Amino acid sequence: MRCLLLRRARKHLGRRGVFLLIVGIGQMCWGAGMVFDPPSTAGLRLLTDRCPLSTWAWLWITAGAVACAAAFLRIGRDWAGFLTAYAPPAVWAFAYAAAALSGDYSRGGFVAVWYLTIVGIIMWASGVPEYSVPPTPRRPRKGTAP
């Protein structure tokens, strides 16, 4: 019974929905980790000058929740999930790149590239069609030719 429910959920979600669900859960966990055990703010001064880190953590949590909700929408209507999924890593990449360029955080360039990689993967997944593999051709039936 459990396998049947999982198969139905997988079929309903499709490839894009499963991706959004995984990314959304990951972003919510990442944000929750920042809320409950705040990390060092090294390299994030550009962000923390505007809002406290807990506010930025809620950006991750909200974006993850929107991505999870969009996972259950039809293809073409799931664009909001992809848009909100790549917003937090893009903001973080910009902040770390700025910190690296200003000399505040020497590792910032490497961390920025890491976050840009995440943005690239999300952008790539948003362009992947749900069913890109063509169906297997059927063999011609035996019988009389017209």
Side-chain angles (χ1 to χ4, degrees):
M1 183 68 170
R2 192 174 92 195
C3 290
L4 178 65
L5 291 174
L6 289 176
R7 273 186 267 143
R8 283 188 182 174
R10 170 88 167 100
K11 185 176 179 182
H12 176 74
L13 288 173
R15 294 188 317 181
R16 293 166 57 99
V18 168
F19 179 82
L20 278 174
L21 195 61
I22 291 169
V23 168
I25 290 171
Q27 286 185 345
M28 287 190 298
C29 289
W30 188 257
M34 282 191 267
V35 169
F36 296 117
D37 188 15
S40 168
T41 59
L44 293 173
R45 187 169 53 182
L46 181 68
L47 299 178
T48 57
D49 285 349
R50 280 138 184 87
C51 295
L53 192 59
S54 62
T55 304
W56 292 106
W58 281 103
L59 170 73
W60 283 91
I61 294 168
T62 305
V66 170
C68 285
F72 295 95
L73 298 177
R74 288 193 338 233
I75 300 167
R77 295 187 180 182
D78 57 359
W79 62 270
F82 286 104
L83 185 65
T84 58
Y86 83 80
V91 170
W92 251 244
F94 181 75
Y96 278 116
L101 292 174
S102 69
D104 289 343
Y105 190 57
S106 61
R107 289 185 52 215
F110 299 108
V111 180
V113 170
W114 169 251
Y115 280 112
L116 286 175
T117 303
I118 296 169
V119 169
I121 290 169
I122 294 170
M123 291 178 77
W124 167 80
S126 70
V128 171
E130 183 62 36
Y131 299 106
S132 61
V133 180
T136 307
R138 292 182 176 214
R139 291 183 178 179
R141 293 198 289 171
K142 293 182 180 179
T144 60

